[in-house]
Amino acid sequence: MARHNQEARGVDQRGQLWKISFQPDWLSRLKISRKLGGERRRSSLTVFRNPARRAESKPGKIMRTGVRALDGSAEFRISVEDPMEMIESITVVAKKKRGRRTEEIRFKLEARMPPPRG
């Protein structure tokens, strides 16, 4: 039987605090990728890693994940059905206002939790 979502927090490259609502038997980590300063390269940082080493039970029919900036400047929720357990990762590309500029932020949700034993 699927378990209810859990809550966690993480800090990104700019010191932004994020709240993550995740299904504990599906999401293994969340990475945030963004450009820093005048650099051309992107910086990628793991802001959340599931503390469990493996799933306790099989994920539910629908996996729901929510990500929210605690200052209220960004928020999204996704729901995914994966009946054949094929999904490795999902990337969400978002635009966030920073003063007069618009910044592109990439959120990579990785779903690589090892299955329960037995």
Side-chain angles (χ1 to χ4, degrees), residues 78-90:
I78 64 166
S79 297
V80 177
E81 284 188 58
D82 186 17
M84 297 181 71
E85 299 177 21
M86 298 172 43
I87 295 176
E88 289 287 321
S89 69
I90 296 169

Side-chain angles (χ1 to χ4, degrees), residues 80-116:
V80 177
E81 284 188 58
D82 186 17
M84 297 181 71
E85 299 177 21
M86 298 172 43
I87 295 176
E88 289 287 321
S89 69
I90 296 169
T91 301
V92 175
V93 180
K95 301 278 187 188
K96 182 180 175 191
K97 289 275 191 187
R98 287 182 43 95
R100 289 184 284 161
R101 303 178 112 184
T102 301
E103 175 185 25
E104 180 184 278
I105 305 173
R106 295 180 186 166
F107 301 87
K108 184 176 181 184
L109 298 107
E110 295 182 0
R112 296 186 191 160
M113 290 296 291

